[in-house]
Amino acid sequence: QVQLQQWGAGLLKPSETLSLTCAIYGGSFSGYYWNWIRQSPGKGLEWVGEINHSGGTNYNPSLKSRVTISPGTSKNQFSLKLSSVTAADTAVYYCVRSCRGGTCYDYWGQGTLVTVSS
Amino acid sequence: QSVLTQPPSVSGAPGQRATISCTGSSSNIGAGYDVHWYQQLPGTVPKLLIYDNNNRPSGVPDRFSASKSGTSASLAITGLQAEDEADYYCQSYDSSMSGYVFGTGTKVTVL
């Protein structure tokens, strides 16, 4: 059974850089796309971006200038960095696996609440 | 931000049928991109409910079904149960945005 475990700083000041890491257990990094999706408090879901096992990335155009998704420092990990955060970036961030060969999302991390406040 | 529009809320009595619409456009659902549905129970992580327009992952009851036509899709829940109270989201790909998009979300209440 695939499990995604994520971690990172939960409280940031405006202009700082958000940094989260996701570890994949019970599955392989290869053959899938790995995503970050966020959910603002009381609001809907927003796709942030994705990375594949070759390091190829795609980002939400509205965030592209500030987002970097990269392989993690350890095997079967990947990371998110979002620079110059503002209060609008306050959200629960999820690491998520794309369905194999598809565009759905089948496994989700537990979520990390990131709050941006001065 | 959301380019897929859903009704904010839907309600029904136990045993009844509830239907949630997901309205898109020619750059997403109308372009033929697959639609997926997620269920988010209160305080939990979203769960894949329907994939590729009308397929249920293993373990999802057949009370849940979905369809797609033109620029819209819909999710039906038959035989509503109290445990179905949750937020439901549709999701697809949008070519004009060059990215994946979610619906605005619908809260289902079982009366």
Side-chain angles (χ1 to χ4, degrees), chain A residues 1-85:
Chain A
Q1 179 77 343
V2 174
Q3 292 186 21
L4 304 179
Q5 186 170 348
Q6 57 184 102
W7 64 89
L11 181 60
L12 297 173
K13 289 181 167 51
S15 80
E16 293 185 333
T17 295
L18 178 158
S19 182
L20 298 174
T21 300
C22 181
I24 305 156
Y25 297 99
S28 173
F29 192 70
S30 297
Y32 295 91
Y33 277 81
W34 302 90
N35 302 263
W36 291 95
I37 292 170
R38 70 182 185 179
Q39 185 170 31
S40 302
K43 295 187 179 179
L45 298 159
E46 180 180 31
W47 176 72
V48 174
E50 65 182 1
I51 186 170
N52 64 22
H53 66 278
S54 302
T57 55
N58 293 297
Y59 300 131
N60 186 322
S62 69
L63 301 169
K64 189 173 184 177
S65 63
R66 299 192 291 130
V67 172
T68 303
I69 298 176
S70 59
T73 54
S74 299
K75 187 179 178 183
N76 283 3
Q77 290 182 4
F78 63 105
S79 297
L80 167 70
K81 290 191 186 300
L82 180 66
S83 64
S84 305
V85 297

Side-chain angles (χ1 to χ4, degrees), chain A residues 35 37 39 42-47 50 58-62 94 98-99 102-106 108-111, chain B residues 1-2 34 36 38 40 44-48 50-52 87 89 91-93 97-104:
Chain A
N35 302 263
I37 292 170
Q39 185 170 31
K43 295 187 179 179
L45 298 159
E46 180 180 31
W47 176 72
E50 65 182 1
N58 293 297
Y59 300 131
N60 186 322
S62 69
Y94 297 100
S98 289
C99 301
T103 58
C104 54
Y105 305 113
D106 56 2
W108 296 63
Q110 79 275 22
Chain B
Q1 170 79 23
S2 295
D34 288 330
H36 319 293
Y38 301 86
Q40 187 173 30
T44 69
V45 173
K47 167 191 167 185
L48 180 63
I50 298 284
Y51 67 96
D52 295 353
D87 293 324
Y89 296 90
Q91 176 247 318
S92 187
Y93 179 83
M97 295 184 64
S98 297
Y100 300 95
V101 292
F102 288 89
T104 49

Side-chain angles (χ1 to χ4, degrees), chain B residues 5-11 20-21 86-89 104-109:
Chain B
T5 303
Q6 301 178 231
S9 63
V10 166
S11 62
I20 301 169
S21 60
D87 293 324
Y88 293 81
Y89 296 90
T104 49
T106 298
K107 183 176 182 60
V108 169
T109 300

